[in-house]
């Protein structure tokens, strides 16, 4: 079903915008590896221990999700559909899924939250941001997320500089069409009145900058873009409420490992002190089950949501989420599980290496 929606999205999208969503950096090795790494893994089911009444819900710092599938932050949803992030928010809320919106949204965070609340009374919407080097910008963004009613912050830390996107360079795609902008970057300190600032990144940012965000807010702070286990431990030390293992969907650095290959070492380094999410390469319920068995509390999905949005708007996003959850529930039943925590690392083997 996800492959069909992707094809429908490809036909609906401007080819340049499809490439923006679909592409990665360099030769797109990591982009392909994120999926290929899952294909190298298999599950060893347990038998005679399951139940016909399964509970898929997971509690996360910042909100409860009806299943261990979270909508990852992705940019510029109004390139995919006129309703943009509001359609995504409504679909996520209807599915009971945590939605992570962010600074590169073409809809302001308060409108995204309002869209989710039009469907559910207490939706879980989190806000993703970067550690902006300009004075006051990060604080302002945090304040906007708090005022909008977001349940958590997600600080992306794997972007000291922008990734060099091969397809965008070839297509000459370097700015949004007229009428679209990164709405959360509007009216910020140092920016033009009524206008938007560029999203700021800096190689000078440090753990002290992250610590200041943690100390500045009462919201739980997730750290996204962690691959090295020592960084996971450092994130916990500065007060992170959770860690997201991610290589930015293959959009930052083409020589890093697949996200799922980095997951077990990060889980070991965190040692249960905070939950770990996995983002990157998840395209089916079996992938969800594998990530959870390796220690993730939940997974994030990005591009499949965009394909659903481009293909059929809000209904398409809902199809993506419902399909992933249904497939995961089926996989959990086949593994003899009653709840996500029943999936354990001893159930994961590498194909061709078992026995």
């Amino acid at each position: 079903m996800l492959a069909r929606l992707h094809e429908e999205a490809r036909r609906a999208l401007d080819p340049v915008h499809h490439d923006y969503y679909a592409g990665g950096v360099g030769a797109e090795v990591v982009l392909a590896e994120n999926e290929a790494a899952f294909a190298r893994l298999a599950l060893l089911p347990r038998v005679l221990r399951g139940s016909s009444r399964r509970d898929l819900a997971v509690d996360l710092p910042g909100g409860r999700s009806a299943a261990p599938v979270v909508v990852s932050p992705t940019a510029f949803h109004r390139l995919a559909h006129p309703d943009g992030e509001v359609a995504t928010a409504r679909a996520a809320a209807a599915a009971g899924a945590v939605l992570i919106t962010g600074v590169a949204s073409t809809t302001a965070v308060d409108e995204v939250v309002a869209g989710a609340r039009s469907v559910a009374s207490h939706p879980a919407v989190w806000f993703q941001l970067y550690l902006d080097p300009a004075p006051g910008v990060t604080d302002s963004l945090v304040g906007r997320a708090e005022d909008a009613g977001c349940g958590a912050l997600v600080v992306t830390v794997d972007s000291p500089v922008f990734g060099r996107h091969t397809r965008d360079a070839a297509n000459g795609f370097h700015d949004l069409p007229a009428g679209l902008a990164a709405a959360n970057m509007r009216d910020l300190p140092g920016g033009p009145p009524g206008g938007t600032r560029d999203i700021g990144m800096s190689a000078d940012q440090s753990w002290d900058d992250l610590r200041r965000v943690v100390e500045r807010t009462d919201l739980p702070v997730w750290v996204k873009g962690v691959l090295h286990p020592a960084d996971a431990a450092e994130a916990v030390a500065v007060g992170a409420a959770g860690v997201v293992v991610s290589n930015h969907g293959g959009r930052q650095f083409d020589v890093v490992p697949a996200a799922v290959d980095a997951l077990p070492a990060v889980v070991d380094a965190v040692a249960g002190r905070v939950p770990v999410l996995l983002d990157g390469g998840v395209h089916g319920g079996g992938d969800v089950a594998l990530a959870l068995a390796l220690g993730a509390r939940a997974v994030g999905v990005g591009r499949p949501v965009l394909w659903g949005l481009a293909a059929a708007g809000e209904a398409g996003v809902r199809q993506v989420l419902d399909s992933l959850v249904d497939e995961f529930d089926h996989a959990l039943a086949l593994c003899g599980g009653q709840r996500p925590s029943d999936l354990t690392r001893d159930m994961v083997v590498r194909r061709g290496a078992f026995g």
Side-chain angles (χ1 to χ4, degrees), residues 53-113:
R53 301 178 65 180
R54 292 174 294 281
D55 179 7
L56 305 186
V58 291
D59 288 311
L60 302 166
R64 183 176 175 85
S65 190
V69 176
V70 170
V71 178
S72 293
T74 47
F76 310 143
H77 288 201
R78 289 180 61 200
L79 283 178
H81 191 276
D83 294 338
E85 289 83 5
V86 172
T88 306
R90 288 174 57 86
V98 171
L99 166 68
I100 310 175
T101 189
V103 291
S105 169
T106 42
T107 307
V109 62
D110 58 337
E111 297 176 47
V112 174
V113 174

Side-chain angles (χ1 to χ4, degrees), residues 16-17 19-20 76 79 167-177:
V16 172
H17 298 162
D19 275 358
Y20 171 73
F76 310 143
L79 283 178
R167 300 192 208 186
D168 294 344
N171 291 329
F173 181 61
H174 303 298
D175 204 356
L176 289 170

Side-chain angles (χ1 to χ4, degrees), residues 73-331:
T74 47
F76 310 143
H77 288 201
R78 289 180 61 200
L79 283 178
H81 191 276
D83 294 338
E85 289 83 5
V86 172
T88 306
R90 288 174 57 86
V98 171
L99 166 68
I100 310 175
T101 189
V103 291
S105 169
T106 42
T107 307
V109 62
D110 58 337
E111 297 176 47
V112 174
V113 174
R117 285 178 175 166
S118 71
V119 174
S121 55
H122 299 289
V125 180
W126 302 352
F127 185 73
Q128 173 270 340
L129 70 158
Y130 299 90
L131 296 169
D132 198 293
V137 170
T138 297
D139 278 351
S140 293
L141 290 169
V142 170
R144 289 182 183 183
E146 292 170 333
D147 292 343
C150 290
L153 300 175
V154 180
V155 180
T156 298
V157 295
D158 62 0
S159 304
V161 294
F162 280 98
R164 294 175 174 173
H165 300 167
T166 306
R167 300 192 208 186
D168 294 344
N171 291 329
F173 181 61
H174 303 298
D175 204 356
L176 289 170
L180 296 183
N184 292 304
M185 299 303 293
R186 193 180 304 280
D187 292 323
L188 289 168
T196 58
R197 294 181 58 95
D198 290 337
I199 295 171
M201 298 177 182
S202 172
D204 292 327
Q205 301 301 299
S206 70
W207 289 104
D208 286 338
D209 295 295
L210 179 65
R211 182 181 289 106
R212 279 191 283 273
V213 174
V214 172
E215 293 172 349
R216 182 243 180 268
T217 183
D218 291 330
L219 295 177
V221 177
W222 290 78
V223 180
K224 181 178 184 291
V226 174
L227 294 172
H228 198 294
D231 287 335
E234 186 72 21
V236 176
V238 302
V243 170
V244 184
V245 175
S246 173
N247 56 34
H248 217 109
R251 295 173 66 81
Q252 274 300 110
F253 194 24
D254 208 25
V255 296
V256 296
V260 74
D261 285 340
L263 175 62
V266 169
V267 170
D268 290 345
V270 166
R273 290 171 290 174
V274 300
V276 175
L277 268 61
L278 182 282
D279 171 282
V282 173
H283 283 75
D287 296 340
V288 179
L290 283 162
L292 267 60
L294 290 172
R297 183 77 59 85
V299 303
V301 291
R303 287 184 179 90
V305 168
L306 292 170
W307 306 146
L309 180 64
E314 179 183 336
V317 176
R318 185 65 193 271
Q319 286 179 55
V320 169
L321 296 175
D322 286 350
S323 175
L324 286 169
V325 171
D326 179 67
E327 289 177 7
F328 169 69
D329 180 59
H330 190 66

